[in-house]
Amino acid sequence: MIALRQLKRVPSNHKIVIDVPENIDENQLMEVILLFKEPPKISHAEKIAQLKLSQHDPLFLADLQMISDDFTDIDGEGW
């Protein structure tokens, strides 16, 4: 199976053209699935504000420390 991902915006006529690679045989059966992305619920500025607040969130900092501790031994190894 070959997977091909193309992101397209819905045009005003609501018709999408799919570009199929040349190496795919003619008349080959293919399945097309449309997945619609939800518009973001918060703005970019709000995301940045949340990221800045995370610097002081004790639960987030504890999770970050736990992940860092998991890699302590590996980080000490030479590549």
Side-chain angles (χ1 to χ4, degrees):
M1 175 161 89
I2 297 173
L4 175 65
R5 179 178 185 187
Q6 296 178 23
L7 295 176
K8 308 268 185 178
R9 295 211 178 265
V10 178
S12 58
N13 65 0
H14 284 73
K15 294 184 184 202
I16 302 285
V17 174
I18 300 172
D19 300 316
V20 179
E22 293 291 327
N23 64 327
I24 303 298
D25 294 334
E26 196 173 311
N27 292 322
Q28 183 171 339
L29 183 62
M30 103 181 165
E31 178 179 1
V32 177
I33 299 172
L34 299 177
L35 300 173
F36 300 93
K37 295 186 176 270
E38 292 290 326
K41 293 182 176 24
I42 62 173
S43 70
H44 180 72
E46 290 171 316
K47 287 181 186 179
I48 297 298
Q50 287 179 351
L51 285 171
K52 287 180 180 178
L53 288 175
S54 70
Q55 298 177 63
H56 308 290
D57 181 353
L59 184 58
F60 174 74
L61 294 175
D63 286 346
L64 200 56
Q65 185 62 50
M66 190 169 34
I67 291 168
S68 178
D69 292 346
D70 288 342
F71 288 94
T72 300
D73 294 335
I74 295 171
D75 287 342
E77 293 181 7
W79 289 81

